[in-house]
Amino acid sequence: MYNLLRDLVRETLQAPRQAARRLIALQLEPAVVWPALVLVAAASAILGYTVMAMTPVPTDGAVEIPLPSPFSLAMMTGGSVVFLAVLAFVGGRVFRGTGRFLDAILLSVWLQFLMVLLQLLQIVLMLVFPFTSVLLL
């Protein structure tokens, strides 16, 4: 499983169309794709919340804005992934595409998974090089 994910990440960066075809060729069932959506939305929300909690926000006397809850972040992330899939599916139909909606969800989930990997890298870099986080402000 790890080798498949590693190869797909590499292929996505080098040949995205081929990686998309490979993902679609897996013919994953809805019972796999929908829980994967929930999982990546939850992971993204938890990591996003972690990054927000780790990053100091200068208030300069202004009213401090509370952090959104991880649940609301997960709902927004999941909704965004579904919205992206709907746009891709409908846009494909407009141009006479023959793709399935489940494949659009799968590819959107895959993109979100890649974003989760980038969030993990961001957190690791923030822990290893904490002084550079000030440069991001």
Side-chain angles (χ1 to χ4, degrees):
M1 180 68 161
Y2 171 76
N3 290 334
L4 174 65
L5 288 176
R6 186 192 66 219
D7 292 345
L8 275 171
V9 168
R10 184 178 297 131
E11 192 172 7
T12 299
L13 297 174
Q14 295 172 346
R17 264 188 204 167
Q18 186 176 341
R21 287 186 187 112
R22 189 170 167 190
L23 278 166
I24 291 169
L26 293 174
Q27 292 292 312
L28 297 175
E29 296 293 321
V32 174
V33 176
W34 289 106
L37 168 63
V38 172
L39 185 64
V40 295
S44 179
I46 290 167
L47 294 174
Y49 191 81
T50 302
V51 168
M52 286 189 285
M54 290 174 61
T55 308
V57 178
T59 57
D60 297 330
V63 176
E64 190 173 323
I65 300 172
L67 294 176
S69 73
F71 180 75
S72 64
L73 284 176
M75 293 300 291
M76 287 187 289
T77 302
S80 297
V81 170
V82 171
F83 184 68
L84 174 66
V86 167
L87 286 178
F89 179 73
V90 171
R93 291 291 176 188
V94 167
F95 292 103
R96 307 217 191 290
T98 58
R100 300 181 315 151
F101 179 67
L102 189 64
D103 294 338
I105 289 284
L106 173 64
L107 295 177
S108 299
V109 167
W110 177 249
L111 290 175
Q112 189 60 41
F113 174 74
L114 296 175
M115 295 300 293
V116 166
L117 293 180
L118 289 175
Q119 283 179 309
L120 278 171
L121 177 64
Q122 180 184 18
I123 290 172
V124 167
L125 290 175
M126 287 175 73
L127 293 172
V128 172
F129 303 109
F131 59 90
T132 58
S133 65
V134 176
L135 299 174
L136 297 175
L137 296 177

